Amino acid sequence: MSTGGTGRAEPDRGDAGGVRTALAGLTTRGRSFLAAGIAAAVCAYVLGQSDLLRVGLLLAVLPLLCAAVLYRTRYRVAGSRRLSPARVPAAGEARVHLRMDNVSRLPTGLLMLQDRVPYVLGPRPRFVLDRVEPGGRREVSYRVRSDLRGRYPLGPLQLRLTDPFGMCELTRSFSTYDTLTVIPRTEPLTPVRFSGEAKGYGDGRRRSLALAGEDDVIPRGYRYGDDLRRVHWRSTARYGELMVRREEQPRRSRCTVLLDTRAIGYEGAGPDSAFEWAVSGTASVLTHLLEQGFSVRLLTDGGTSVPGEGADGFAGSGPDSADAAGLMMDTLAVIDHSDGTGLSRAYDSLRGGNEGLLVAFLGDLDEEQAAVVAKMRQRSGGALAFVLDPDAWLWETTGASAPGSRQEERLRMLREAGWTALGVPRGASLNELWRQADRERSGLTGVGGEAL
């Protein structure tokens, strides 16, 4: 949940423009009274009718007096906003709770409460609040929903004040606002283990030091707090100082998820486009592997990753795993097409060493880029690619000419390089493709593509 700031509602303009602000707030009724009063006063002066002059002055002074009193009114009103939740998946709903507290000793008049909301989240909510007693509060709420990923500001909150006669309306605003983050939709994935993964992929943790015998122990110097039962007496006698056995260090299974964001690799736009499917698939795989205890890393075609990510990515277990997932989802919420034309930067980012399992969501590939992706397999313990052919997606959407064998040629190149490569048709279920990839890695898929 997210809570907005509180404070007193202030006028939209400074005191220097007080007269102009007050006159601009006159309603149609107030302007009519003012015009009628001026006309009556002019007629009274021309006709010499003092009684008509009094009526004209009354009609003209009433809206001006209401505007002056309303502008000088200083309601001490505190407002707050709470989002539940502050991070919502695309097509999901979030509820916004507004709370107004009258912290002054005077009751308020009729208030109109309005919150500024981007048009993609729905219409701008408006609420009418009756008289709020001193120390009283009013609570209202509304829902927002978006089919598009992104970060959307909510606020600032506005109060519209009116006088009892309806002559003038003035708007006062709070200065704080909140942000609603719409993250990609995720699909639950079946826990599987891809067979044949020899580097950095498995169900559990692996030991980096195998204590096969007493001679294999690598000792280190004693540190305050070490258990004396781990003292290695042979090394202590050899080095002349207290030495202890080094603890076994677990090595976490690692995975890099590569998202191709090149604009030339995708066609179409909107929630059902190929690019949005790739972003949603990336979010699903990242979430799934974090839950499985992997150290995961998000990589784009430009070679960039999530800000704050460590050298080995984010750890999937521990107290910070939820924060790691939130950072990755926030990054994917605002990710967009890049202007790049190749995947060489991503390949350079993988040159540092073994990346464990490599999962890639790729757009359209020409022969050169397919060769670059094929070389990435050499830097991973296992490689899985989901290739989205834009021609296939447009063909199923617009009824254009059927896609040719270009994608099959690219898939064949990746498979020959050791990738488990799958084409992604429009509307495909990621979980079904995930399970199909597991069957292919296990050698359970026949030549025709059907499970044996």
Side-chain angles (χ1 to χ4, degrees):
M1 296 183 180
S2 175
T3 304
T6 60
R8 189 180 70 180
E10 295 293 344
D12 284 341
R13 303 183 181 180
D15 292 337
V19 176
R20 184 181 303 176
T21 300
L23 293 179
L26 290 176
T27 62
T28 303
R29 178 184 300 177
R31 295 175 187 273
S32 300
F33 267 65
L34 181 60
I38 294 176
V42 172
C43 293
Y45 176 77
V46 173
L47 300 176
Q49 298 291 329
S50 58
D51 294 335
L52 183 59
L53 179 61
R54 297 188 186 95
V55 174
L57 292 177
L58 177 62
L59 293 177
V61 169
L62 181 60
L64 296 178
L65 183 61
C66 290
V69 172
L70 188 63
Y71 181 79
R72 299 300 300 174
T73 300
R74 289 293 186 265
Y75 291 134
R76 295 183 60 196
V77 180
S80 63
R81 181 189 301 101
R82 179 168 53 90
L83 306 182
S84 178
R87 197 184 277 122
V88 63
E93 286 189 348
R95 181 171 288 275
V96 184
H97 301 269
L98 303 178
R99 172 177 165 178
M100 300 299 302
D101 295 271
N102 184 12
V103 296
S104 67
R105 298 181 179 180
L106 299 175
T108 68
L110 189 66
L111 303 177
M112 176 180 286
L113 188 63
Q114 177 177 277
D115 206 7
R116 292 184 179 179
V117 175
Y119 73 94
V120 295
L121 298 182
R124 180 171 296 183
R126 293 181 176 89
F127 305 94
V128 177
L129 304 181
D130 294 332
R131 176 179 176 274
V132 182
E133 66 279 3
R137 70 177 58 169
R138 297 290 185 271
E139 294 184 3
V140 293
S141 64
Y142 64 94
R143 294 181 179 180
V144 290
R145 178 182 182 275
S146 175
D147 293 329
L148 302 175
R149 300 176 292 108
R151 293 173 61 87
Y152 302 103
L154 299 178
L157 198 62
Q158 292 182 328
L159 281 178
R160 184 170 296 177
L161 312 178
T162 60
D163 65 281
F165 301 101
M167 298 289 181
C168 184
E169 287 184 351
L170 293 181
T171 300
R172 295 181 178 178
S173 300
F174 293 92
S175 59
T176 59
Y177 66 92
D178 291 289
T179 301
L180 176 68
T181 303
V182 181
I183 62 176
R185 287 173 290 185
T186 58
E187 181 178 350
L189 301 181
T190 303
V192 298
R193 179 179 181 186
F194 296 101
S195 62
E197 310 296 352
K199 304 178 182 177
Y201 188 79
D203 290 335
R205 297 180 177 178
R206 304 180 179 182
R207 300 293 183 180
S208 60
L209 298 177
L211 302 182
E214 193 71 15
D215 294 336
D216 296 327
V217 175
I218 303 177
R220 63 168 175 82
Y222 175 83
R223 299 171 185 170
Y224 179 77
D226 285 339
D227 190 350
L228 293 178
R229 290 175 295 181
R230 293 195 296 108
V231 174
H232 193 252
W233 297 108
R234 182 179 300 178
S235 298
T236 299
R238 178 182 302 175
Y239 295 104
E241 60 177 321
L242 202 59
M243 306 292 289
V244 297
R245 295 182 180 90
R246 190 186 300 270
E247 293 180 340
E248 296 179 347
Q249 300 296 330
R251 186 179 65 187
R252 191 182 306 277
S253 300
R254 295 190 298 171
C255 177
T256 298
V257 182
L258 171 62
L259 174 61
D260 181 10
T261 64
R262 297 171 302 135
I264 63 174
Y266 301 91
E267 296 288 346
D272 298 327
S273 64
F275 180 68
E276 291 301 322
W277 192 98
V279 175
S280 178
T282 300
S284 301
V285 171
L286 288 172
T287 303
H288 173 73
L289 294 179
L290 278 173
E291 294 174 351
Q292 297 300 312
F294 278 72
S295 290
V296 296
R297 177 189 179 196
L298 174 61
L299 186 66
T300 65
D301 56 286
T304 58
S305 57
V306 179
E309 188 178 73
D312 293 334
F314 290 107
S317 60
D320 297 332
S321 59
D323 294 337
L327 285 174
M328 291 188 173
M329 293 301 105
D330 289 345
T331 301
L332 291 175
V334 297
I335 202 166
D336 202 356
H337 289 294
S338 68
D339 297 330
T341 58
L343 298 165
S344 58
R345 291 185 179 179
Y347 174 71
D348 293 337
S349 299
L350 296 174
R351 284 184 174 179
N354 174 31
E355 296 292 335
L357 178 66
L358 176 60
V359 181
F361 291 86
L362 306 170
D364 188 25
L365 299 174
D366 55 22
E367 185 175 358
E368 179 183 356
Q369 299 310 316
V372 174
V373 175
K375 291 191 297 182
M376 294 180 184
R377 175 63 180 87
Q378 303 171 3
R379 299 297 178 179
S380 64
L384 171 60
F386 299 97
V387 184
L388 294 88
D389 183 11
D391 294 334
W393 283 64
L394 288 179
W395 171 61
E396 296 182 16
T397 305
T398 63
S401 59
S405 60
R406 177 178 175 179
Q407 187 191 32
E408 291 300 326
E409 178 65 21
R410 303 296 180 254
L411 294 176
R412 184 186 62 80
M413 291 180 59
L414 297 182
R415 289 164 183 163
E416 290 178 351
W419 284 80
T420 301
L422 300 176
V424 180
R426 182 178 179 84
S429 169
L430 176 61
N431 188 44
E432 292 298 326
L433 295 175
W434 186 258
R435 296 173 61 185
Q436 180 183 346
D438 177 48
R439 293 194 298 267
E440 291 192 6
R441 293 291 298 176
S442 303
L444 299 180
T445 301
V447 178
E450 296 181 358
L452 299 177

